[in-house]
Amino acid sequence: MLVESGDSKIQADDYVIVNGYRFVKPYHFDFMCNVRQRWFGQNIVDIMSREFPARDRQYYLAALADGRLRVEGREATAETALSQGMRIRHFIHRHEPPVPAGPIQVVGETADIVAVNKPHGMPVHVAGQYRKNTVHGILAAERADLGELLPVHRLDKPVSGLLLFARHAAAAEALRQQIESRCLEKVYVARVLGAFPSSDAPIAVDVPLAWDPVTNNARAVPEAAARFPSQAASRAAAAGQGQSAEQGVQAAAPAAAAGAGRLAEAGVEGGGHGVEMQAQQREEQQQQEQQQQGAEQQQGDQQRQQQQEDRRLRKAKWKALKREKKAAREAAAAAAAAASEARERDAILGAKPALTEYRLLWVAPDGQTSLVECRPRTGRTHQIRVHLQHLGHPIANDVQYGGTYGGPLPSQTMADELGVSWGKRRQAGDHTDGNNAAAGAATEGGAALGVAAAALVAADAPVAGAGDQGQVHQHQQLRHGGGTCCSGGHGAKAGSTAAGAGAMASNGSVTIDVTGADEGVAPKRPRTDGTCAAQRPRQQHQRGQPDGQALGVVDCPGHRERGSMLVDIQQQSAQADSLEGLLAAASSPCDAYQQNEEFRSRPEYKAPAELHDKLCINCPYFAPRDYPLDLRPLWLHARSYSSEGGQWSFSCDLPGWARADFVPQRS
């Protein structure tokens, strides 16, 4: 049995092309992962079940028993506490998610740099479940003539366009420094909502950006002044929680005691004169009858009073319960407000300057979208996307930042919708800091790569999807077989819009005045439309369930007929990939969910029997189970990069959605 590791060389015959998708043949892989500080004192089964929940606890117990899961160099049981210096090894049958097929076009090269046109839907380098199905891996397998390539920046998976690789370590370091020092001229194009304003000078958006760890989005922070709302309301509400339901309750004992005293008194009066005078029998009998009637009346009054008291007590308890519930709601609201205020302060304090210049290229024939040229002058996570949203013209299919056309959904969002367990694993703030050495250099859809990479992450770990930005990594550790890099860059939450903000002349450009703009609320993570959701019932995958139902997806009657739309902006592209056009034309989330269902049900997507592993949870299909992905492109494309001194300049063709006559269809 051939077992691969991080250093294994990727071969051209490791891939299979089916229906315009590139699949990796499943292979056995031995993962290595150093025990992290937060894992100290915990056992290996608990760690793997929590960190990599694509497999359940029973699997990890079985894997530990048969040796597939182990601690390197020592015996370990399900009770063994792990500590510093230990290394986890996990032998698995690895299935990688598919990517769009087709060769990766090399658009230019020098003695130090290789420039390629990155397809959408494909990660740049090793990340999560992706190892071979990356730009870096495919080039290593199919373009060995280029030599060893070192990634120096990245583009998000759904973003297409120009991508640079260095040919040696010195060139990688020099290029990384140019990116960080903002010595490169970077040009992107984006299709945005609405008719973008036309002007002779570029429209400059100079708005700081920050990152919201709760929404895992970037946001615009138009005002630098920090706001510190009072916490008095929160403290007062918290103190109100201690009120007891007994506040409105009055004891019934005094009233009952008074009533009992009166009854006893009546009894003495009624029985003290019974036999003193026989001559007065009739009179005494009348008195007794009167006293008996009075006692009965008094008893009835007492019962009525007791009933009234009971009603009053019940009402008092009900009111007290209402007060408690109200106090709890107020306390929860105050706590949420305090947390929101804390995030606001953190965002403002952590905001970093960001500047992007925009220029209208043309408006679509239907007037609903526009093609815009984007030149980021700083490098912040999702900078182009957030600044466009701030202008009131978000990228038209960027559902994460206000787009209304169907665009690529993050895998985590799709997992949440389908009830896949790992989609809910990530907690707020549980992300890797991407604002390290490249904090000032990362560009929209791309970032420099330069600081030390993190420890290996097992292939079970989900990738954060379309929302992640690139960050700096040590290029020596980003070989195509090595450890995964830290994904999850930071920059800013999807913030406010300034559609009505006035424009004013400033330094020869048109600057949007956003000082008085209202801050909007970050959009929720995108969901599918109601029709598709109703036809796609959420369900947790159960072992033994038919593979066709593994993702809980059914066909959508509204599934559109999609056609190729790949025509270059200047001329018909001879290298147009029909799959890219097909995906660019798709705007309904049904397309993505349906395609994922097909990956796990149609016979042509089954791997040959000789590649199966009887213990593998993903076999017999090429695609991994419970890993939904959306391969539609984001309408953002890296057009060109050029050095400040003019030593080199590279550009690549534009995709079909950037065509002047392209009219996207809404879902």
Side-chain angles (χ1 to χ4, degrees):
M1 179 188 297
L2 178 63
V3 180
E4 299 189 30
S5 67
D7 295 325
S8 300
K9 186 177 180 180
I10 301 175
Q11 306 290 339
D13 60 0
D14 290 343
Y15 301 97
V16 175
I17 307 299
V18 182
N19 294 340
Y21 296 99
R22 180 188 295 266
F23 293 88
V24 175
K25 295 178 182 177
Y27 57 99
H28 289 95
F29 190 84
D30 191 15
F31 274 102
M32 295 180 292
C33 181
N34 293 323
V35 174
R36 302 172 186 177
Q37 184 176 2
R38 70 174 184 269
W39 299 347
F40 292 175
Q42 303 175 50
N43 67 69
I44 190 171
V45 174
D46 287 345
I47 292 171
M48 299 299 288
S49 300
R50 182 183 64 253
E51 299 289 332
F52 311 115
R55 293 169 171 84
D56 59 25
R57 183 179 181 83
Q58 293 304 315
Y59 164 83
Y60 288 116
L61 286 170
L64 183 64
D66 68 13
R68 290 196 174 210
L69 180 64
R70 63 200 185 280
V71 177
E72 186 177 86
R74 66 189 69 198
E75 293 290 333
T77 68
E79 288 75 35
T80 302
L82 304 188
S83 58
Q84 185 176 8
M86 293 184 178
R87 177 179 291 181
I88 296 174
R89 303 287 291 269
H90 187 202
F91 175 77
I92 68 167
H93 197 230
R94 188 164 183 173
H95 292 241
E96 297 192 24
V99 298
I104 298 174
Q105 180 188 13
V106 177
V107 298
E109 52 185 301
T110 68
D112 298 325
I113 302 172
V114 172
V116 303
N117 187 356
K118 172 193 172 300
H120 70 274
M122 185 182 298
V124 172
H125 48 63
V126 176
Q129 291 201 355
Y130 295 90
R131 174 174 168 260
K132 298 181 180 181
N133 246 354
T134 67
V135 177
H136 192 211
I138 294 170
L139 288 174
E142 299 183 349
R143 292 298 307 268
D145 58 299
L146 296 174
E148 183 177 4
L149 301 178
L150 305 175
V152 290
H153 75 120
R154 64 173 253 188
L155 299 174
D156 281 346
K157 186 170 67 175
V159 176
S160 60
L162 195 72
L163 184 65
L164 304 180
F165 290 91
R167 286 188 139 151
H168 51 82
E173 179 62 19
L175 189 55
R176 182 186 64 81
Q177 291 181 4
Q178 290 183 63
I179 294 175
E180 290 187 358
S181 59
R182 306 169 189 171
C183 295
L184 299 183
E185 180 73 15
K186 296 160 285 189
V187 180
Y188 292 73
V189 294
R191 181 166 292 278
V192 304
L193 284 179
F196 196 82
S198 177
S199 61
D200 294 333
I203 295 177
V205 181
D206 188 1
V207 180
L209 301 181
W211 186 259
D212 187 338
V214 174
T215 62
N216 202 32
N217 279 348
R219 60 164 297 180
V221 185
E223 297 183 4
R227 296 186 296 110
F228 296 95
S230 172
Q231 301 292 311
S234 177
R235 290 196 297 270
Q241 282 186 305
Q243 292 182 347
S244 170
E246 297 178 0
Q247 290 176 335
V249 180
Q250 296 181 1
R262 286 191 295 271
L263 279 174
E265 230 179 319
V268 171
E269 292 175 358
H273 305 284
V275 292
E276 291 184 359
M277 296 178 64
Q278 294 181 357
Q280 298 180 359
Q281 274 187 341
R282 185 174 296 178
E283 183 178 352
E284 289 175 0
Q285 186 176 2
Q286 291 176 353
Q287 290 178 356
Q288 288 175 0
E289 291 176 354
Q290 292 175 359
Q291 288 173 1
Q292 185 177 359
Q293 291 176 359
E296 291 176 353
Q297 183 176 359
Q298 186 176 15
Q299 185 177 7
D301 292 343
Q302 184 181 9
Q303 290 176 351
R304 285 190 292 272
Q305 290 175 2
Q306 186 63 45
Q307 291 173 355
Q308 292 174 357
E309 182 69 11
D310 290 343
R311 285 195 295 269
R312 188 186 67 78
L313 288 174
R314 287 195 298 271
K315 187 174 181 180
K317 289 180 180 180
W318 179 71
K319 289 183 176 180
L321 182 60
K322 286 187 63 178
R323 286 195 297 270
E324 284 185 342
K325 291 183 177 180
K326 181 179 180 181
R329 288 195 301 269
E330 291 175 348
S340 177
E341 291 165 3
R343 291 197 303 272
E344 181 72 13
R345 290 195 300 271
D346 291 343
I348 293 174
L349 293 174
K352 297 183 179 180
L355 173 64
T356 314
E357 295 177 353
Y358 299 99
R359 182 173 64 89
L360 173 67
L361 296 179
W362 47 71
V363 178
D366 64 351
Q368 299 300 307
T369 63
S370 305
L371 195 70
V372 176
E373 180 185 87
C374 318
R375 294 176 183 261
R377 302 305 183 186
T378 55
R380 306 292 177 226
T381 304
H382 299 180
Q383 177 175 319
I384 292 175
R385 299 163 67 180
V386 177
H387 276 172
L388 282 170
Q389 186 192 41
H390 194 77
L391 287 176
H393 296 278
I395 294 176
N397 73 336
D398 188 356
V399 292
Q400 191 171 355
Y401 292 106
T404 58
Y405 288 78
L409 299 172
S411 291
Q412 183 168 331
T413 297
M414 298 180 70
D416 288 345
E417 180 72 17
L418 296 172
V420 178
S421 61
W422 68 257
K424 297 176 176 62
R425 177 181 68 85
R426 188 172 181 174
Q427 301 298 320
D430 179 19
H431 50 269
T432 304
D433 189 359
N435 282 335
N436 37 37
T443 61
E444 176 63 33
L449 297 171
V451 293
L456 283 165
V457 177
D460 314 58
V463 182
D468 281 357
Q469 269 308 323
Q471 57 271 18
V472 180
H473 288 278
Q474 195 69 22
H475 54 77
Q476 291 91 340
Q477 299 191 32
L478 283 175
R479 296 171 302 184
H480 55 263
T484 63
C485 61
C486 306
S487 65
H490 300 185
K493 162 191 160 189
S496 54
T497 60
M504 57 182 182
S506 174
N507 299 327
S509 66
V510 177
T511 302
I512 300 299
D513 180 10
V514 295
T515 56
D518 292 333
E519 287 195 5
V521 178
K524 294 182 179 179
R525 287 184 297 180
R527 294 288 185 180
T528 59
D529 61 272
T531 301
C532 298
Q535 296 171 337
R536 190 181 56 259
R538 302 183 189 181
Q539 54 182 316
Q540 185 72 23
H541 179 85
Q542 301 293 331
R543 290 195 172 189
Q545 186 179 20
D547 288 293
Q549 302 173 15
L551 290 175
V553 183
V554 298
D555 196 4
C556 174
H559 199 68
R560 281 182 310 281
E561 189 69 25
R562 299 168 291 179
S564 175
M565 295 187 179
L566 271 183
V567 180
D568 185 78
I569 198 170
Q570 299 164 337
Q571 58 184 353
Q572 182 77 25
S573 174
Q575 299 179 348
D577 185 351
S578 62
L579 177 64
E580 179 177 352
L582 179 145
L583 292 170
S587 61
S588 169
C590 293
D591 298 309
Y593 287 101
Q594 174 67 15
Q595 185 60 65
N596 278 274
E597 191 272 338
E598 292 177 357
F599 285 153
R600 295 291 305 176
S601 62
R602 290 177 56 173
E604 60 265 38
Y605 295 124
K606 281 188 176 182
E610 61 269 19
L611 298 177
H612 295 179
D613 184 311
K614 63 180 181 179
L615 297 181
C616 179
I617 65 173
N618 296 309
C619 286
Y621 294 94
F622 286 113
R625 190 193 76 178
D626 290 352
Y627 192 92
L629 70 160
D630 192 335
L631 294 177
R632 291 175 294 178
L634 182 69
W635 291 339
L636 177 64
H637 180 83
R639 172 62 165 161
S640 66
Y641 280 11
S642 56
S643 62
E644 189 176 41
Q647 294 90 345
W648 53 264
S649 179
F650 301 105
S651 63
C652 61
D653 295 335
L654 294 177
W657 55 258
R659 215 174 58 211
D661 59 349
F662 177 77
V663 179
Q665 301 298 314
R666 292 184 185 272
S667 53

